[in-house]
Amino acid sequence: MIRLSKSVVGIDERDAVALVIDEGFLGMGKEVRLFETELQAYLKTDAEVICVNTGTSALHLALQALDIGVGDEVLVPSVTYVASFQAIAATGAKPVACDVLEDTALIDLIDAETRVTPATKAIMPVHYASNTAGMADVYQFAQRHKIRVVEDAAHSFGCRRDGALVGSVGDLVCFSFDGIKNITSGEGGAVVSSDPHVIARIQDARLLGVGKDTEKRYSNERSWEFDVTDQGWRYHMSNIMAAIGRAQLKKIEQFGSVRQRLAQRYKDQLAEVDEITLLDIDYTDTIPHIFPVRVTGIHRDILFNELNARGIQVGIHYAPNHLLSLFSTGQSLPVAERLGRELMSLPLHPDVSDDDQNRIVSEIKNIVTMT
Ligand SMILES: *Cc1c(COP(=O)(O)O)cnc(C)c1O
């Protein structure tokens, strides 16, 4: 079976974890600080990097640090992982689902404009399939409406936008290092920000709101006398996760070039298949986390089931969130709903070989001519 996505880890990650176990300090400590400073150096930024236990908690803490909560609204594209919506809901705020652009599945700012109210406090653009196009417009939109930007950059670690690495510029940028993202720390996430107030709040909030505990933890200690002024969560990253993340960070260029090349090959080989419509993504500066296509010539589910039956695992990124019971408002978002029926993701990870890829493309061609 050819897997849709996969954690590509081995001896380096195993050795790194073994060292942490030998040291006997598994919680949040020096290793986490090293991962944060190495991420900061990689991004070539003065902005602070704060590591947490998941990408979802990165988004949650980023919003909380902006004082977003009950009564507030956050604009978010409907086509995203449910994590974006749940992170907004976790603050007590309302995720306001926006329609998306047909050729990229990125947030449609014309639709978003119609959903702005006095309660709108932030916009959460999602770098869908690692595509960071249109961010200049998102920032202009935010400036015009005097709202903040929390970038869901879960797909786009290692990507460049106008020459700068994602995270090195922007308001608040959130990454995920879960098992299948561009790099993994097992599970994990990070917030990048150069707003000192935001940074201090996130540092405390990830450790149950314990004031200034972060400094102690970095030297494998902890605070015994402290105050708590804000709601906090148990969201810190552990030394074990950080050790895996540090080993993976060294491989980002290697992973990136494989992912990029695979995406370009898919694009070239599928261009001639009439039943498939490719998304409009330029892979030059993009390290694709997923490779979604639109199945437009035949029923998506037929192709989906046939590929799975032939040992090729495919996925759906994503069914629109505004159709989920928790987030449904009864509104219709026509483009998101159409993409929800058409999108299908093909296997993409550094262990997909050229042979695998040739088989995937030829099976797609077989199935569409057969049906
Ligand atoms: C993976 C992902 C997240 C959340 O990351 P976790 O680390 O899995 O919590 C958020 N948004 C999107 C678009 C994602 O793909």
Side-chain angles (χ1 to χ4, degrees):
M1 191 186 50
I2 304 175
R3 284 171 62 173
L4 173 63
S5 46
K6 177 164 179 260
S7 311
V8 178
V9 288
I11 204 84
D12 299 329
E13 290 76 11
R14 200 190 305 177
D15 287 350
V17 169
L19 281 176
V20 172
I21 289 175
D22 289 347
E23 274 205 355
F25 197 97
L26 308 193
M28 177 175 151
K30 288 175 187 162
E31 200 70 20
V32 174
R33 186 56 189 158
L34 287 169
F35 189 33
E36 289 173 341
T37 52
E38 287 167 9
L39 285 165
Q40 194 182 28
Y42 168 74
L43 295 174
K44 295 196 181 62
T45 181
D46 294 329
E48 196 69 44
V49 179
I50 307 156
C51 283
V52 291
N53 61 344
T54 66
T56 308
S57 38
L59 293 168
H60 179 192
L61 294 186
L63 294 164
Q64 179 179 302
L66 299 176
D67 273 323
I68 288 169
V70 176
D72 297 331
E73 296 178 358
V74 178
L75 302 167
V76 59
S78 188
V79 178
T80 181
Y81 188 37
V82 67
S84 321
F85 275 67
Q86 288 286 25
I88 297 167
T91 66
K94 180 177 155 208
V96 175
C98 300
D99 213 349
V100 295
L101 300 170
E102 183 176 346
D103 54 354
T104 56
L106 297 174
I107 190 164
D108 177 349
L109 292 176
I110 294 172
D111 181 78
E113 189 87 49
T114 68
R115 302 180 192 281
V116 175
T117 74
T120 309
K121 292 288 154 53
I123 181 168
M124 183 185 286
V126 176
H127 303 163
Y128 180 80
S130 313
N131 186 3
T132 61
M135 286 305 295
D137 296 333
V138 170
Y139 276 94
Q140 270 174 20
F141 178 100
Q143 214 166 24
R144 196 163 66 245
H145 293 290
K146 299 191 169 50
I147 59 174
R148 300 293 292 257
V149 180
V150 176
E151 293 184 39
D152 182 338
H155 291 190
S156 57
F157 186 78
C159 300
R160 283 171 197 279
R161 175 163 86 228
D162 302 324
L165 281 163
V166 171
S168 64
V169 287
D171 195 2
L172 282 80
V173 181
C174 298
F175 292 116
S176 162
F177 307 126
D178 78 21
I180 57 168
K181 294 284 163 53
N182 283 354
I183 62 165
T184 183
S185 58
E187 296 285 355
V191 187
V192 190
S193 171
S194 41
D195 178 336
H197 175 67
V198 160
I199 294 158
R201 293 197 69 185
I202 296 176
Q203 282 178 335
D204 289 353
R206 71 176 160 178
L207 289 162
L208 294 170
V210 173
K212 308 228 167 29
D213 200 21
T214 278
E215 282 310 317
K216 291 269 186 198
R217 297 275 178 158
Y218 285 157
S219 44
N220 288 357
E221 291 170 29
R222 60 187 286 187
S223 316
W224 295 112
E225 286 177 39
F226 55 80
D227 192 20
V228 172
T229 55
D230 286 305
Q231 168 77 64
W233 313 89
R234 190 105 172 123
Y235 279 175
H236 61 275
M237 179 175 270
S238 77
N239 276 348
I240 292 208
M241 301 156 99
I244 298 173
R246 292 181 67 204
Q248 288 266 304
L249 181 58
K250 297 195 177 82
K251 303 178 185 175
I252 182 66
E253 307 293 336
Q254 174 199 330
F255 288 163
S257 61
V258 184
R259 284 181 177 273
Q260 230 164 17
R261 181 171 166 280
L262 287 168
Q264 194 55 53
R265 277 186 98 234
Y266 270 136
K267 228 175 138 173
D268 295 342
Q269 297 189 24
L270 292 168
E272 63 188 46
V273 181
D274 290 340
E275 292 80 358
I276 300 281
T277 304
L278 296 166
L279 294 179
D280 179 18
I281 303 178
D282 177 358
Y283 289 104
T284 322
D285 282 333
T286 298
I287 299 178
H289 156 57
I290 51 174
F291 192 85
V293 297
R294 295 168 59 200
V295 185
T296 43
I298 63 167
H299 200 297
R300 189 263 320 271
D301 295 343
I302 295 175
L303 186 55
F304 183 95
N305 292 332
E306 278 294 328
L307 285 168
N308 274 310
R310 293 168 196 221
I312 296 166
Q313 204 178 45
V314 286
I316 297 170
H317 299 99
Y318 302 91
N321 283 274
H322 73 278
L323 301 180
L324 299 173
S325 302
L326 182 61
F327 304 119
S328 162
T329 53
Q331 286 186 32
S332 120
L333 300 174
V335 182
E337 285 164 33
R338 175 144 39 86
L339 290 183
R341 292 188 294 271
E342 294 177 350
L343 287 169
M344 185 184 77
S345 300
L346 302 177
L348 186 73
H349 55 77
D351 280 354
V352 174
S353 68
D354 283 8
D355 281 353
D356 291 338
Q357 201 175 27
N358 295 342
R359 183 157 90 81
I360 295 161
V361 172
S362 79
E363 291 288 17
I364 290 174
K365 289 178 179 170
N366 289 342
I367 297 162
V368 298
T369 37
M370 188 189 78
T371 46

